[in-house]
Amino acid sequence: MTALSGTPLLDRKIALCFGHLDADGNGTVDREDLLTLGARLLSEFGEPPTSPKGTALMAGMARYWEALAAAADADGDRRLTPEEYRAGMTGAFITSPDGFRTALRPLTEAVVALLDTDGDGEVDEREFQSWQQAFRTAPEHRAAAFRHLDTDGSGRLSVDELLTALQEFYLSPDPDAPGNWLYGPLT
C-alpha cells in the first residue's frame, strides 16, 4: 500500500486522528494525551488500569507514543503539533509500512483484548460500537462503520482486520478503502 503525502483525503483523515489523540484539546499531542485516551477506553469498558487488559492497553499506548514521537517529533520537545503529526504520518510511517504495523500491532491486540468482552478473540458489533462511543463516533454511523471494516463478512473484527483498517485510514489515498470508515464516514 502506498500513500500520497498531502492529498486532501489523507490530510483530512490525519487531522481527524490528531483530534482524537489530542485528549486535552490544547492543540498538541504528547504522551499524556495517549495515556488519557487509554484511560478513557478503560473507563468505557469498566476495566481497571492494573488488570492484565488494562496494563496491556496502557503499555501499548506508551509504546505507540514512543514510535510516534520517534517518527514525528521534529523539534524534540516531546509534543507533536498538527504539522509534525501530519509530516510524521505521511513521511516516516509511509516509508516503512511494516514499521507502522509493528508500532500498532501490540496496541491493536491490547484494544481487541479490551473490547472482546465475550472472550472469543474478536470484536463483535456491540463491542465495536462501545469502542466507537469512546472515540465519539456518531451513533448513527457506528453500524455502517462496522460493516465496512468487517471485510470478510464474519460479523466479527479480528486483530488483522482492525490493523488493516488502521493502516488504510492513516496511509491510503483510496477514497473507497474500507478503513476510511474507522470512525464513521469522512464527511
Side-chain angles (χ1 to χ4, degrees), residues 59-81:
M61 291 300 242
R63 277 190 305 270
Y64 182 61
W65 164 252
E66 291 306 322
L68 189 56
D73 187 12
D75 61 10
D77 67 354
R78 305 297 287 169
R79 290 177 305 169
L80 303 179
T81 65

Side-chain angles (χ1 to χ4, degrees), residues 115-131:
L115 302 180
D116 180 22
T117 59
D118 62 9
D120 67 359
E122 296 183 314
V123 176
D124 66 27
E125 186 172 347
R126 182 188 53 77
E127 295 162 341
F128 176 81
Q129 289 198 17
S130 294
W131 180 47

Side-chain angles (χ1 to χ4, degrees), residues 4 9 106 117:
L4 303 173
L9 174 63
T117 59

Side-chain angles (χ1 to χ4, degrees), residues 123-125 128-129 132 139-157 161 178-179 181-182:
V123 176
D124 66 27
E125 186 172 347
F128 176 81
Q129 289 198 17
Q132 292 298 289
E140 64 272 17
H141 299 307
R142 295 175 191 162
F146 183 84
R147 284 191 306 275
H148 279 87
L149 301 180
D150 182 18
T151 56
D152 67 3
S154 68
R156 302 191 168 288
L157 300 175
E161 280 176 303
W181 277 83
L182 191 59

Side-chain angles (χ1 to χ4, degrees), residues 167-184:
Q167 191 165 4
E168 287 176 348
F169 189 88
Y170 278 106
L171 306 178
S172 177
D174 178 0
D176 297 321
N180 290 347
W181 277 83
L182 191 59
Y183 305 108

